[in-house]
Amino acid sequence: MTRKAIFPPAEAPQAKKQPRSDTHHGITRTDDYAWLRADNWQEVFKDPSVLAPEIRTHLESENTYQSTLMADTVELQKVLFAEMKGRIKEDDSSVPMKDGPFAYGSSFKLGGEQPRYFRMPRDGGEQQILLDGDLEAEGKAYFRLGGVDHSSDHEKLLWSFDDKGSEFHTLLVRDIATGKDLADRIADTGGGGVWSKDNSGFFYTRLDANHRPSKTFYHAIGSDEQEDRLVYEEQDPGFFMNVGGTRSNEWIMIGINDHETSEYRLLPANDPTAEPKLVAAREIGLQYDLEEGGDVFFILTNADGAKDFKIMAAPAHDPVRTNWKEVVPHEPGRLILSVVGFKDYLVRLERKDGLPRIVVRERASGEEHLISFAEEAFSLGLSGSYEYDTDVMRFSYSSMTTPAQVFDYDMRTRQRTLLKTQEVPSGHDASHYVTRRLMAPSHDGELVPVSLIHHRDTAIDGSAPCLLYGYGSYGITIPASFNTNCLSLVDRGFVYAIAHIRGGKDKGYAWYEDGKRANKKNTFKDFIAVARHLTAERYTSHDRIVAQGGSAGGMLMGAIANMAPEAFGGIIAEVPFVDVLTTMLDETLPLTPPEWPEWGNPIASEADYKTIAAYSPYDKVGNLDYPPILAVAGLTDPRVTYWEPAKWAAKLRELKSGDSPVLFKINMDSGHAGASGRFSRLEEVALNYAFALKVTGKQIA
């Protein structure tokens, strides 16, 4: 079957050309589709109705075209949706976590899209619903809860919501006894807040017009918002800022960071009027995080050349860098990911040989032990505890064939207690599936880890289609965890694979460094190498591989489409960051200055300009025979603005050869995270999977 025959005939939208040029470092570029960026984009994020009519008309024509080309999959999408929904326990509930006289958790009701937050007596009893997300979302096209945090006296709840998808959150305070929200209401926040020690107020960050968290305030309950005290203002637009606290409620921590440098300021939680005290001044490339330890702070840092991080400690009353003392030394190849401090123990999550592990350290003796696991590839998560003075901490475990499990672990007795195993209501038999971890040789000899799953009955003879997922940026590792959604493909004969490419930290911090800035092309070459390895090992064939990635992984999709279009049978790019050069040249956009350490600053550096220009997907679109492409985006996305994929789709159609279509679906009511409800999101997944099934000739219900 030819690609042309797969899709029905339909006229694709043709965006008009309105050339605009810019010149940097003596290099002039012309962008024919720059008009798709709304001049009033800040207002559009908060109120989509103010979008210019001609832009709205074009975006709606894209949705119509996509719907026409995918019309024959509507019933398949319904079947896929029903399957995926059937694997979700509709009235699922978290395991409540103990805190003083209560245990707190979240749950869903039958048919509910949004979580409910509840508490119950510490040792069991009747649940009290504190916040019902479904009730709060009524009448809203988009709704997503942000932070939810109870006060230490268990009398109030600090919570937030976003009802545009723009990630401007409104903070509210709920009186738990009455279930009513107080008059305190603060808009345009980062989505979270931290209670003062006596719970009479809270600290929060406010976003500016460009969506940057530049100011931390203190709000006293019952006071006018205009009277809120400015605690700290970050002057450098290249840094993110957040405010957090410690479980002992002793300290407020203001964290400031970009992708390679961090800085903390501390103030006592019992004195909102105190001036924040600097821990260690920012130095380019110096990263550190603070974790409470009673009379000390534990510091996870890469200081002094500790590329894969080490753990230090310093007196809590004076944790300046000159007082840092080594606790856990640096070990090359063992990447320490996070630490959790308890009164008698220090727990760390680390990755070695590409796999995660948990290490428990007794603080008094320094004795350490591992919590071990047997599977070939798996995912771990540290949940920690609400409480500091406890011997029990919580962690989660899953693999590509094992549903998620939640354990309580007694650090003193080394006894693990299984609290919950993810329930798959429609049934799941792990013995029906095979999971493997492969090592794919890349262009320079590096071996790229690949996690995959397929049905035991799937023939490994090159005939199976494959969904190959990748990300590869910001040091983020995609875990080999249980994914109920992908079973809808696997049960239809797909191989589902994750490429652990450079740009993540899958093989240590150096794996990240080898996939950023001047080394960024390694990310793309690794992904292409994985596709070729899967073909060489007869797991699939090139024309049967559908590549998928989102956000920076969407940039990956755009890059591999330009570099090796023949290696893929289809591409799914979700909220794709594809106009990298233009975005990095625009310092007014929300994420641009903080992103320069990741990609380079093409405004200041001609070398960075040329590096980005050499791979930026929008700039490299050419007269190539691209495979079918599906791009998905949200109108109010502040991270990857909607006009990037809109322009990309237009330019692809203009320049490409061949008859493969470019489909662009834009959700006019959502942002970066897609649809807000848990089931609404499944509809988007069903569209992606229907596209994958369609382009690989497996379009069967």
Side-chain angles (χ1 to χ4, degrees):
M1 181 182 292
T2 66
R3 288 173 176 172
K4 190 171 186 178
I6 293 174
F7 293 93
E11 180 139 3
Q14 297 298 318
K16 65 181 179 181
K17 291 186 176 184
Q18 293 183 0
R20 297 181 190 174
S21 298
D22 64 76
T23 301
H24 295 269
H25 310 293
I27 304 167
T28 299
R29 293 186 311 150
T30 299
D31 188 348
D32 290 330
Y33 303 109
W35 65 273
L36 284 166
R37 167 182 160 157
D39 292 334
N40 62 337
W41 57 268
Q42 290 103 326
E43 289 79 14
V44 171
F45 284 169
K46 294 187 175 183
D47 182 5
S49 69
V50 302
L51 182 68
E54 68 171 348
I55 298 176
R56 180 175 295 276
T57 297
H58 176 74
L59 297 179
E60 289 173 345
S61 72
E62 289 281 12
N63 279 338
T64 299
Y65 177 66
Q66 177 274 137
S67 296
T68 299
L69 266 61
M70 293 294 290
D72 62 341
T73 70
V74 169
E75 290 305 313
L76 172 60
Q77 290 179 50
K78 291 178 181 177
V79 171
L80 292 167
F81 173 82
E83 286 177 7
M84 291 186 286
K85 185 177 180 183
R87 298 190 193 101
I88 295 175
K89 182 173 167 50
E90 288 204 39
D91 56 350
D92 200 11
S93 176
S94 69
V95 180
M97 189 174 284
K98 295 175 181 180
D99 186 17
F102 298 102
Y104 290 82
S106 62
S107 64
F108 288 90
K109 58 190 174 188
L110 286 172
E113 292 272 10
Q114 304 288 340
R116 300 181 301 179
Y117 290 85
F118 68 85
R119 75 178 181 190
M120 59 195 298
R122 180 183 180 95
D123 296 318
E126 185 177 350
Q127 290 185 5
Q128 175 188 4
I129 301 299
L130 307 178
L131 180 67
D132 188 329
D134 286 314
L135 289 178
E136 303 298 336
E138 282 184 0
K140 295 181 170 67
Y142 179 94
F143 183 85
R144 188 180 296 272
L145 287 168
V148 179
D149 184 30
H150 62 273
S151 57
S152 61
D153 60 10
H154 307 282
E155 293 181 0
K156 295 183 285 291
L157 195 71
L158 184 61
W159 69 282
S160 70
F161 70 89
D162 166 22
D163 60 4
K164 296 291 189 300
S166 60
E167 300 178 43
F168 283 98
H169 287 81
T170 299
L171 266 176
L172 300 101
V173 178
R174 177 157 299 185
D175 179 83
I176 291 178
T178 65
K180 303 292 184 183
D181 290 324
L182 305 181
D184 307 76
R185 185 183 181 95
I186 302 175
D188 299 342
T189 75
V194 185
W195 291 103
S196 61
K197 188 174 179 65
D198 65 1
N199 304 298
S200 62
F202 57 87
F203 299 82
Y204 66 93
T205 56
R206 185 186 295 279
L207 306 182
D208 63 20
N210 285 356
H211 207 275
R212 293 173 185 147
S214 58
K215 296 179 180 179
T216 293
F217 289 92
Y218 173 75
H219 175 78
I221 300 294
S223 67
D224 189 301
E225 176 190 343
Q226 302 303 317
E227 299 173 1
D228 288 359
R229 177 192 171 225
L230 176 62
V231 179
Y232 180 76
E233 180 175 5
E234 175 53 47
Q235 301 289 344
D236 189 335
F239 281 79
F240 301 101
M241 184 169 63
N242 62 77
V243 62
T246 58
R247 280 165 295 143
S248 61
N249 302 309
E250 295 296 330
W251 298 96
I252 301 298
M253 303 185 292
I254 299 173
I256 302 155
N257 68 281
D258 61 15
H259 292 295
E260 64 181 13
T261 302
S262 53
E263 180 178 273
Y264 275 91
R265 284 172 164 78
L266 293 170
L267 65 155
N270 63 358
D271 185 6
T273 65
E275 287 301 314
K277 181 179 179 180
L278 179 65
V279 175
R282 68 192 72 170
E283 299 175 15
I284 293 176
L286 173 65
Q287 299 179 51
Y288 67 96
D289 281 311
L290 300 181
E291 171 62 16
E292 68 179 314
D295 59 347
V296 302
F297 272 108
F298 293 110
I299 301 131
L300 176 62
T301 182
N302 66 349
D304 311 312
K307 180 176 289 190
D308 287 321
F309 290 79
K310 61 182 177 179
I311 301 174
M312 314 283 277
H317 67 277
D318 192 19
V320 296
R321 189 172 175 185
T322 53
N323 290 336
W324 293 4
K325 305 296 183 186
E326 187 174 270
V327 176
V328 179
H330 176 242
E331 180 183 311
R334 179 199 64 187
L335 178 65
I336 304 177
L337 300 166
S338 61
V339 296
V340 180
F342 296 92
K343 181 174 179 291
D344 296 320
Y345 299 93
L346 179 64
V347 181
R348 66 182 187 265
L349 177 65
E350 60 187 34
R351 182 174 293 108
K352 189 170 184 178
D353 300 324
L355 290 174
R357 63 186 193 180
I358 294 172
V359 183
V360 179
R361 179 187 181 93
E362 188 178 35
R363 290 177 58 177
S365 67
E367 180 185 351
E368 296 187 347
H369 68 270
L370 286 171
I371 305 176
S372 58
F373 307 91
E375 290 191 85
E376 187 175 334
F378 53 86
S379 171
L380 285 177
L382 264 184
S383 305
S385 168
Y386 277 135
E387 298 176 324
Y388 173 72
D389 186 0
T390 178
D391 291 340
V392 179
M393 67 93 173
R394 186 167 293 175
F395 70 87
S396 60
Y397 172 88
S398 77
S399 75
M400 296 186 84
T401 58
T402 304
Q405 298 175 320
V406 178
F407 293 88
D408 266 355
Y409 184 77
D410 189 310
M411 295 175 281
R412 192 170 304 278
T413 66
R414 305 189 183 185
Q415 188 78 29
R416 73 177 78 170
T417 303
L418 177 62
L419 303 175
K420 177 184 176 182
T421 297
Q422 178 183 353
E423 186 178 332
V424 183
S426 59
H428 175 70
D429 187 341
S431 69
H432 289 177
Y433 304 96
V434 176
T435 183
R436 294 289 314 281
R437 190 168 179 87
L438 310 178
M439 301 301 284
S442 195
H443 63 285
D444 56 359
E446 286 284 1
L447 295 177
V448 183
V450 186
S451 301
L452 64 82
I453 181 174
H454 63 80
H455 197 279
R456 67 184 181 190
D457 295 335
T458 297
I460 305 303
D461 59 4
S463 64
C466 172
L467 187 77
L468 177 58
Y469 184 86
Y471 189 75
S473 290
Y474 307 117
I476 293 173
T477 298
I478 305 301
S481 54
F482 190 64
N483 175 356
T484 59
N485 291 340
C486 77
L487 297 179
S488 284
L489 292 180
V490 172
D491 287 345
R492 287 172 171 80
F494 265 71
V495 173
Y496 180 84
I498 301 169
H500 302 285
I501 51 185
R502 276 175 278 189
K505 293 177 185 170
D506 305 73
K507 293 177 70 174
Y509 199 84
W511 200 245
Y512 169 40
E513 290 182 319
D514 284 348
K516 66 183 291 192
R517 299 193 70 156
N519 298 322
K520 191 63 209 171
K521 282 193 174 181
N522 285 334
T523 301
F524 317 136
K525 292 177 179 179
D526 283 357
F527 191 85
I528 294 166
V530 169
R532 291 179 172 149
H533 185 69
L534 289 171
T535 297
E537 295 295 310
R538 305 286 284 163
Y539 280 97
T540 186
S541 300
H542 283 305
D543 61 352
R544 304 180 72 69
I545 299 176
V546 179
Q548 182 185 19
S551 194
M555 175 193 65
L556 167 68
M557 296 299 100
I560 57 106
N562 291 330
M563 293 170 66
E566 76 289 344
F568 304 95
I571 291 174
I572 301 169
E574 298 184 278
V575 289
F577 179 33
V578 284
D579 195 9
V580 185
L581 185 55
T582 303
T583 294
M584 288 298 102
L585 285 166
D586 187 349
E587 57 193 351
T588 70
L589 291 174
L591 295 187
T592 293
E595 297 283 280
W596 285 331
E598 180 76 14
W599 315 108
N601 182 347
I603 300 174
S605 165
E606 181 178 355
D608 286 352
Y609 182 103
K610 290 179 176 178
T611 293
I612 297 171
Y615 68 77
S616 177
Y618 183 67
D619 292 273
K620 301 301 289 185
V621 169
N623 181 24
L624 301 169
D625 186 7
Y626 292 94
I629 294 174
L630 170 64
V632 182
L635 179 62
T636 55
D637 187 347
R639 298 171 185 260
V640 177
T641 50
Y642 75 85
W643 56 82
E644 292 202 28
K647 291 166 51 179
W648 184 49
K651 191 171 183 179
L652 280 166
R653 290 199 195 104
E654 175 197 354
L655 297 180
K656 72 180 183 66
S657 60
D659 51 24
S660 295
V662 177
L663 291 71
F664 177 38
K665 180 183 186 299
I666 180 164
N667 190 327
M668 304 298 278
D669 296 309
S670 78
H672 195 69
S676 57
R678 58 173 176 160
F679 299 135
S680 298
R681 170 59 184 157
L682 291 183
E683 293 175 351
E684 297 180 347
V685 178
L687 171 67
N688 292 341
Y689 285 3
F691 176 83
L693 288 160
K694 185 178 178 70
V695 299
T696 56
K698 300 283 285 187
Q699 189 178 328
I700 54 175

